[in-house]
């Protein structure tokens, strides 16, 4: 059980760090993940009537689904959203990387392509303002 948890933590750490590194910019305020599988990016240049309207725009333009920060008690005027970085088959990822000592972005691209593509689309969207 301990070995399993260790491997799962490595996968989630890699995915969270990847999304963080690809989104952090002058357009996105984001805190580096320290655990879990959610991030709360704030899209600084996005101007919408609410975080809910912003999330709808993101979904329509990128196909990436986020939950508005207002659903978590943040003011709806703050362009904040909750992003889960778990859009991958965890069992497959674990199986394919089980013998690996250190995971890298190539493992991520092979085993979590939706997550990699989603981070890229969000980055492009955030830079479109």
């Amino acid at each position: 059980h301990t070995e399993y948890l260790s491997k799962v933590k490595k996968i989630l750490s890699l995915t969270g760090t990847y999304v963080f590194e690809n989104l952090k910019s002058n357009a996105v305020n984001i805190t580096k993940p320290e655990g879990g599988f959610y991030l709360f990016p704030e899209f600084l240049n996005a101007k919408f009537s609410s975080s809910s309207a912003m999330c709808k725009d993101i979904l329509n333009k990128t196909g990436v689904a986020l939950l508005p920060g207002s659903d978590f008690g943040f003011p709806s005027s703050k362009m904040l959203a909750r992003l889960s970085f778990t859009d991958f088959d965890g069992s497959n990822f674990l199986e394919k990387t089980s013998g690996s000592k250190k995971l890298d972005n190539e493992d991520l691209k092979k085993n979590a392509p939706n997550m990699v593509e989603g981070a890229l689309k969000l980055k492009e969207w955030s830079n479109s303002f």
Side-chain angles (χ1 to χ4, degrees):
H1 186 64
T2 303
E3 183 181 338
Y4 168 80
L5 286 177
S6 177
K7 289 178 182 180
V8 169
K9 286 178 185 178
K10 283 180 184 176
I11 290 171
L12 288 175
S13 177
L14 176 67
T15 56
T17 299
Y18 181 86
V19 173
F20 166 76
E21 291 292 336
N22 281 277
L23 288 183
K24 72 175 182 174
S25 69
N26 290 336
V28 180
N29 182 21
I30 191 167
T31 301
K32 188 173 182 175
E34 295 182 16
F37 48 89
Y38 296 111
L39 292 169
F40 279 90
E42 180 181 9
F43 297 93
L44 302 171
N45 297 331
K47 304 295 183 214
F48 292 89
S49 61
S50 66
S51 57
S52 182
M54 178 189 69
C55 287
K56 286 178 186 175
D57 189 71
I58 291 170
L59 179 61
N60 290 336
K61 291 181 178 170
T62 68
V64 176
L66 303 173
L67 293 172
S70 58
D71 286 358
F72 300 92
F74 295 100
S76 65
S77 60
K78 193 167 183 120
M79 297 300 110
L80 194 66
R82 186 179 83 164
L83 180 157
S84 170
F85 49 85
T86 58
D87 187 8
F88 58 88
D89 181 337
S91 296
N92 184 58
F93 199 146
L94 191 60
E95 180 184 321
K96 299 288 184 190
T97 59
S98 193
S100 301
K101 291 184 181 175
K102 183 175 180 180
L103 300 177
D104 59 25
N105 287 348
E106 289 306 311
D107 292 312
L108 205 55
K109 290 173 185 174
K110 289 178 196 170
N111 297 292
N114 290 345
M115 200 264 324
V116 170
E117 181 181 3
L120 176 63
K121 286 181 176 184
L122 274 177
K123 182 177 185 174
E124 290 171 352
W125 181 89
S126 70
N127 289 327
S128 69
F129 295 96

